[in-house]
Amino acid sequence: MEKILNLISQRVSAAFERAGYDAAYGRVTVSNRPDLCEYQCNGAMPAAKAYHKAPIQIAEDVAAALQDEAAFSQAEAVKPGFLNLRLNPDWLAGYLEQMRTAPRFGVEPDPKAGTVVIDYGGPNVAKPLHIGHLRSAIIGESIKRIQRFFGNTAIGDIHLGDWGLQMGLIIAELRARKPDLPYFDESFKGDYPAEAPFTISDLEEIYPAASAKSKTDEAFAARAHDATYELQNGRRGYRALWEKIMEISTADLRKNYDRLGVSFESWLGESDAQPYIPPMLDRMREMGILVQSEGAKVIEVQEPTDTKEVPPCIIMKSDGATLYATTDLATIWQRAQDFRPAKILYVVDKRQSLHFEQVFRAARKAELVSPETVMRHIGFGTMNGKDGKPFKTRAGGVMRLETLIGEITDFVRAKVVENQLVAADEVEETTAKIAMAALKYGDLSNQPTKDYIFDLDRFAAFEGNTGPYILYTIVRIQSILSRFGAWEDLPIRTPLTAEAKDLMLALTRFAEVTELAYRDDAPNLICAYIYELAGCANKFYHETRILTEADPEKQKGYIALIALTKGVLDTCIDLLGFSAPEKM
Ligand code: ARG
């Protein structure tokens, strides 16, 4: 379906032409003076220069040519040369009726849609998820849903940090604690026990202990290095132990991501990219792009147009070890082979932006992806506490994601119970939905690159620019619809009040907003939009007697309008990654 701004721009362009001017001047925008008009066209100003006429003269000619145009109830020339426009309410209703009955409320899929891999997990195995992982998960999930909405096949890849020294540290520490486990006995040839020799809490205690020990105990650090090396070279017992660590850890990760309403289509990790490294290095060598630099092997990625220094991408250290960048490059190659993606998007802390710049450039030089494949790092800022510093626990430590979700849930539950929002057996489900809306909207309403302050009181408020306020609006509409009865097939009617028309105008912007959010990977635009839409809906509700309206035709028109509003709001919150409860 054509977006409304394009439709009315076409009408105004045609009027420019009828009046003897170039159609290109007919571009319409939403009015920045809603008190004066709904839309405006400023084309008479530049046209005045081209035609050596007063702008107001041109605006008046065009206004005259618009008098019989059905889309507008008002087309007025005002000094110095603006065209102020108001939509004809019947025409507006016709447009919205089309939107109501169209798939995805009239949003057209991207003609260039393809497969998109989105890398938005990056948790490290055997370490608890902490709030650093929260933004990646929340923003990534929303971007994935937006990509899908526009017709892409979106694959969320968790890209586990499951390789390297952290694994060696755990193995070395386990060996120190339980040397008798069969995993450490090189002569052991039987089957290893099905049961893991640790729980997730053990692992979460072992890793930091091992990491601290390696900083003071050199012999231990060396053993951890050796264990890493042996694991990577396939030592059977270590490999089996690693699999147990993966099993316990991923089960816990799944539970946490589930709770957040975040899911991944692909559970690959850094370890899965390792087999691609040797052939990738051969390829780089053959292409002659791998150069020696202080004993290391690097790819030069500086470009003549750079205004800043972009250091070379280090592929292999002098001791033969590969690095974070090497794994990311191999992963790109792997993804290119598995999916032939149109895009690979990385939702990762913005502090890694240089890393991705280097990796993308090196990937292009090594031709690991087709030249058309878009690779983009969507860097996000930090979630801060009220003191403006990175969010911490009260004791000053890094907060676990589980703890944070627990705190939000408790806070919201207290409100749900205190205000008796739902029956006792619905408290948990309703609480979980409101808590997710508070958390996710609180995050997503900020531009991803910006840091923001986590403020539970504000995020969980039922009023203001918050997730719960949006849910509240939806639930309220739902309750009217349920009391009314069969509303599904009622057509949109001509608006009878200013509030109804404002609400309808806000609804027409849905396609435009979602398209911008898609183009710029900016869920915050959807948040801003639904806040405005919910505001219009609540104003309409306040000023209109809906269920007590005596005229059944009028009433049906009101119901159709709020039903469409609810449909659009539901679609938007689904794109953001949360949903509304039945009641609240
Ligand atoms: N595991 C990494 C970390 O904790 C994040 C991974 C991000 N994704 C990527 N493809 N590099 O920093």
Side-chain angles (χ1 to χ4, degrees):
M1 196 175 151
E2 187 69 89
K3 286 190 290 296
I4 194 157
L5 274 179
N6 291 347
L7 270 186
I8 54 186
S9 293
Q10 284 161 16
R11 308 283 175 121
V12 174
S13 295
F16 266 88
E17 239 173 5
R18 284 200 296 279
Y21 305 103
D22 197 309
Y25 294 110
R27 187 76 216 153
V28 173
T29 56
V30 172
S31 161
N32 51 21
R33 285 290 303 274
D35 51 326
L36 297 180
C37 58
E38 293 157 0
Y39 295 93
Q40 66 189 58
C41 171
N42 301 347
M45 312 295 220
K49 293 206 183 73
Y51 292 96
H52 305 292
K53 274 191 185 177
I56 188 71
Q57 175 69 57
I58 296 176
E60 272 164 7
D61 292 348
V62 177
L66 277 172
Q67 288 322 300
D68 297 326
E69 173 52 70
F72 305 112
S73 60
Q74 181 205 342
E76 193 183 43
V78 293
K79 277 188 183 138
F82 300 125
L83 261 176
N84 286 354
L85 304 165
R86 277 182 205 279
L87 290 187
N88 176 343
D90 293 331
W91 187 86
L92 175 59
Y95 182 83
L96 277 190
E97 174 60 7
Q98 237 186 306
M99 183 175 156
R100 183 183 76 88
T101 48
R104 291 181 308 277
F105 299 115
V107 172
E108 296 293 339
D110 179 356
K112 293 205 215 92
T115 300
V116 183
V117 178
I118 310 169
D119 183 319
Y120 62 98
N124 299 314
V125 165
K127 292 197 220 169
L129 279 177
H130 58 78
I131 53 154
H133 298 111
L134 182 70
R135 296 212 71 192
S136 178
I138 293 179
I139 300 168
E141 179 71 25
S142 177
I143 284 176
K144 182 173 80 179
R145 291 172 182 222
I146 295 170
Q147 292 286 333
R148 276 203 188 127
F149 191 64
F150 281 86
N152 295 284
T153 303
I155 298 164
D157 186 350
I158 189 164
H159 197 66
L160 295 164
D162 60 357
W163 209 236
L165 184 60
Q166 77 211 48
M167 307 312 282
L169 283 166
I170 295 171
I171 293 173
E173 179 64 14
L174 270 171
R175 183 167 196 158
R177 294 185 187 193
K178 297 184 181 175
D180 298 333
L181 287 175
Y183 301 98
F184 303 118
D185 175 1
E186 277 193 273
S187 62
F188 184 80
K189 295 279 177 281
D191 290 337
Y192 293 106
E195 187 92 356
F198 39 68
T199 64
I200 186 69
S201 336
D202 295 338
L203 281 181
E204 289 178 356
E205 180 265 320
I206 289 172
Y207 175 75
S211 168
K213 191 158 149 192
S214 73
K215 294 199 176 90
T216 53
D217 180 342
E218 265 177 47
F220 177 76
R223 285 200 295 279
H225 269 284
D226 291 347
T228 311
Y229 182 83
E230 286 181 279
L231 167 70
Q232 299 188 340
N233 285 281
R235 179 166 162 170
R236 185 171 167 263
Y238 286 5
R239 193 71 205 188
L241 196 53
W242 176 82
E243 266 155 27
K244 287 290 160 214
I245 300 173
M246 290 295 285
E247 192 183 299
I248 299 291
S249 194
T250 50
D252 184 64
L253 285 172
R254 253 180 228 278
K255 194 184 79 197
N256 275 285
Y257 279 117
D258 272 354
R259 210 166 160 205
L260 267 182
V262 169
S263 62
F264 297 93
E265 285 61 39
S266 163
W267 277 74
L268 295 180
E270 296 182 7
S271 65
D272 296 287
Q274 301 310 310
Y276 291 78
I277 291 182
M280 180 180 80
L281 294 176
D282 289 343
R283 177 191 177 94
M284 291 169 171
R285 262 183 228 110
E286 274 161 34
M287 292 173 88
I289 56 174
L290 216 49
V291 297
Q292 291 282 352
S293 166
E294 296 162 28
K297 293 193 174 56
V298 307
I299 295 181
E300 302 279 359
V301 292
Q302 183 87 40
E303 282 167 16
T305 49
D306 286 336
T307 51
K308 57 174 194 302
E309 194 204 331
V310 184
C313 186
I314 308 175
I315 305 295
M316 192 188 267
K317 290 200 286 192
S318 50
D319 65 359
T322 55
L323 296 93
Y324 185 44
T326 323
T327 299
D328 260 326
L329 285 165
T331 306
I332 289 174
W333 205 31
Q334 180 184 17
R335 287 172 179 163
Q337 292 170 40
D338 288 353
F339 305 116
R340 314 211 158 280
K343 289 179 255 184
I344 310 179
L345 307 178
Y346 294 82
V347 186
V348 179
D349 194 311
K350 70 178 175 193
R351 285 171 292 191
Q352 293 194 26
S353 67
L354 178 61
H355 163 75
F356 284 109
E357 183 71 65
Q358 293 170 305
V359 164
F360 296 164
R361 290 182 182 195
R364 297 248 180 255
K365 264 188 121 166
E367 295 171 16
L368 300 178
V369 277
S370 81
E372 301 83 56
T373 301
V374 173
M375 291 182 283
R376 191 182 302 145
H377 172 214
I378 302 162
F380 53 79
T382 312
M383 180 172 126
N384 289 328
K386 281 188 188 165
D387 57 1
K389 301 209 184 89
F391 197 79
K392 292 264 155 62
T393 56
R394 265 179 226 108
V398 176
M399 188 177 269
R400 297 176 55 147
L401 191 56
E402 236 176 323
T403 315
L404 180 79
I405 297 177
E407 282 187 9
I408 299 173
T409 307
D410 291 345
F411 186 88
V412 170
R413 187 189 300 105
K415 280 192 176 196
V416 171
V417 171
E418 187 189 305
N419 300 314
Q420 300 181 335
L421 296 184
V422 292
D425 61 340
E426 291 167 16
V427 167
E428 280 319 304
E429 207 191 315
T430 306
T431 298
K433 289 197 162 155
I434 300 175
M436 272 311 118
L439 179 65
K440 292 190 168 186
Y441 189 95
D443 188 306
L444 293 170
S445 53
N446 302 284
Q447 222 173 297
T449 48
K450 294 246 166 79
D451 296 348
Y452 74 97
I453 291 180
F454 179 82
D455 180 345
L456 189 49
D457 289 310
R458 191 165 71 74
F459 289 3
F462 284 21
E463 271 153 45
N465 189 4
T466 71
Y469 167 70
I470 305 293
L471 296 191
Y472 182 67
T473 308
I474 294 174
V475 167
R476 192 182 215 181
I477 296 177
Q478 179 56 50
S479 123
I480 304 173
L481 295 179
S482 314
R483 279 184 281 160
F484 174 82
W487 53 267
E488 286 81 357
D489 299 320
L490 298 177
I492 298 290
R493 288 165 203 242
T494 304
L496 301 174
T497 62
E499 290 78 21
K501 195 176 185 196
D502 284 346
L503 177 54
M504 290 171 85
L505 288 170
L507 284 166
T508 62
R509 294 183 39 228
F510 173 66
E512 180 118 341
V513 169
T514 45
E515 207 172 283
L516 279 176
Y518 171 59
R519 197 194 65 192
D520 295 346
D521 299 309
N524 56 301
L525 299 178
I526 297 179
C527 293
Y529 173 63
I530 56 177
Y531 179 52
E532 187 198 317
L533 184 61
C536 290
N538 285 312
K539 227 183 242 154
F540 171 71
Y541 170 88
H542 269 293
E543 300 299 327
T544 317
R545 299 190 311 160
I546 301 177
L547 287 170
T548 52
E549 172 57 53
D551 179 340
E553 293 309 308
K554 273 191 188 174
Q555 187 179 48
K556 283 184 201 159
Y558 296 154
I559 293 288
L561 180 54
I562 59 169
L564 177 59
T565 306
K566 179 175 182 291
V568 169
L569 286 172
D570 275 333
T571 304
C572 288
I573 64 171
D574 185 55
L575 292 177
L576 297 174
F578 56 90
S579 61
E582 290 294 312
K583 273 201 278 175
M584 75 183 259

